[in-house]
Amino acid sequence: MTQHRRRLTAWLLAGVVLAVVLTLYRADRTALNEHAAAPGATGSAAPSATAPPAPSASPATSGPPSPTASQGTGEPPPATSAPPCTSPGTCGFPDAGTTGPRIELERHDIGNMSVKKDGTVIKGWDIRGSLDIYANDVTVIDSRITSTNWWGINLRPGFSGLKVLHTAITAVPGKGPDNGGVNYAVSNMGGSSIEVGWCDISVFGNALSMGQGDLHDNYVHDLVAFRNQGGEWQHTDAVISGGGNKGRLTVRRNTLLNSTPVDKGATAAVGLFADTGVVSSVVVEGNWLAGGAYALYGGGPGATGIQVTDNVFSTQYHPAGGAYGAATAWNAGGAGNVWKGNRMSDGRPVEPPPAS
C-alpha cells in the first residue's frame, strides 16, 4: 500500500513539471510570433541575445563623427578654434572702462604749472593746463589733464621717479602752440625710467614719448592729425622712442591705436626709431596694436635687445594692421632680438618682417 502511494505521488509530480514546461513553451512561441510580426522585422527568429550589433558599412554623412568614434581610431576629436578678437576690451586689453581716474575730481585751472618739490603727489585734480616736472619722485594719480601746451606732463632732464597712474590726459585740438597742434601726452626728457600705467590718453600726436620707462595697461586712442607751422603734417605715434636710450623701455599690456590716415602723418602704434642713437633694450609684449603706416617700427639697423612677443596686430583700421603691413625695420640678426607669438586679431600668425 505504501509503495503504491509513492508511485502515485511521483506520477503527480511528473505531471506538474510537464504542465509547467508546456506553459513556458507556449509563451516563448507567442513572443517569437509577435516579434516576427513587428514592423521592420526581416527574419522569423529573434537575434541571439549575445550577438553584438553589426558595424555600419560607412560613417554617417549627416554630421561629424561622435567623440566615441574618434577615440576608437586613436585620434582626439577635432578642436574648435577660438573666436577672433573683435575689439580690445572684449579680448582683455585696456579700454575706457579700465583706465583713467577712479574717484571724483576737483577742478584746477593751473596753466602750465612747474612742479619743483620732491615727492609731490597730485591726486583727484581735474587740471586745465599742464605739468612741467623739475623734481624727483612726483606722482600724478587719479586725475585728468586737459592741455593746450606742447605736453600734458613733461619730466625735465636730471630728474627721476615720475609716476603717472590712473589718469586721463588729453588736449584741445586746434589750441596747441605749433599751429594748433600738441605733441606729447607724457614726455620723459630725464635719464631714468618713469612709470605710466592705467592711463586714458588721446589727441596728442606722439602720445607717450621716451627712451626708457614702464608703460603698462594704458589706452591710447583718437590721435589728432595736424599741420605744423611749416605746413607739414605732424607724424603721429601712440608710443615713440628716438633711440640712444641708456635704460630699458617696457611696453606691456597696452591698447595702442593710431587711426590717423597715412596721408596726414600716421607713422606707427609703436615707433622705435634711431633718430638720436641706436635703439636697444626694448620689450614690446602683449599689446593690442593698430594703425599707422606700419603698426610697429622695430628699431632698424643696429637695434639690439628688442623683444617683440605675444602682441595682437588689429585689423580694425587696415587689413594688415598698418597701411603697409604689421611691422618693419626689424633687425633679425641683432643680439638679443626676439620675435615670438605675435598674431593678427583674426588669428593669423605675424612673422618677423624681412630686413629693410
Side-chain angles (χ1 to χ4, degrees), residues 128-141:
R128 300 302 194 272
S130 60
L131 298 173
D132 206 1
I133 311 297
Y134 293 86
N136 298 310
D137 303 320
V138 173
T139 298
V140 181
I141 185 168

Side-chain angles (χ1 to χ4, degrees), residues 326-338:
T328 190
W330 176 250
N331 181 20
N337 291 351
V338 176

Side-chain angles (χ1 to χ4, degrees), residues 72-232:
T73 63
E75 298 178 0
T80 55
S81 59
C85 286
T86 56
S87 67
T90 58
C91 295
F93 292 90
D95 62 8
T98 59
T99 57
R102 303 163 294 179
I103 60 177
E104 292 186 10
L105 306 180
E106 179 183 353
R107 179 158 175 168
H108 291 258
D109 294 299
I110 63 172
N112 181 32
M113 185 175 83
S114 295
V115 179
K116 297 184 177 181
K117 181 180 179 181
D118 289 352
T120 297
V121 176
I122 295 174
K123 181 176 182 179
W125 286 24
D126 184 358
I127 294 171
R128 300 302 194 272
S130 60
L131 298 173
D132 206 1
I133 311 297
Y134 293 86
N136 298 310
D137 303 320
V138 173
T139 298
V140 181
I141 185 168
D142 287 314
S143 296
R144 177 183 294 115
I145 295 173
T146 305
S147 173
T148 56
N149 199 359
W150 289 101
W151 58 78
I153 302 175
N154 181 45
L155 179 66
R156 289 288 177 170
F159 300 96
S160 63
L162 174 65
K163 296 180 183 292
V164 184
L165 309 173
H166 296 286
T167 293
I169 308 172
T170 190
V172 182
K175 299 296 184 181
D178 188 5
N179 197 33
V182 286
N183 283 356
Y184 313 111
V186 181
S187 171
N188 181 10
M189 298 175 67
S192 65
S193 180
I194 70 174
E195 180 183 3
V196 182
W198 304 285
C199 290
D200 183 327
I201 298 170
S202 60
V203 178
F204 289 91
N206 290 289
L208 297 171
S209 173
M210 61 197 68
Q212 48 269 323
D214 182 9
L215 312 178
H216 64 88
D217 302 288
N218 300 292
Y219 175 45
V220 180
H221 59 102
D222 294 307
L223 306 184
V224 174
F226 67 92
R227 292 182 187 270
N228 60 24
Q229 291 180 346
E232 302 169 331

Side-chain angles (χ1 to χ4, degrees), residues 188-193 210-213 241-250 276-282 304-305:
N188 181 10
M189 298 175 67
S192 65
S193 180
M210 61 197 68
Q212 48 269 323
S241 177
N245 53 300
K246 302 301 182 183
R248 178 179 293 274
L249 174 63
T250 300
T276 56
V278 174
V279 181
S280 63
S281 299
V282 181
T304 59

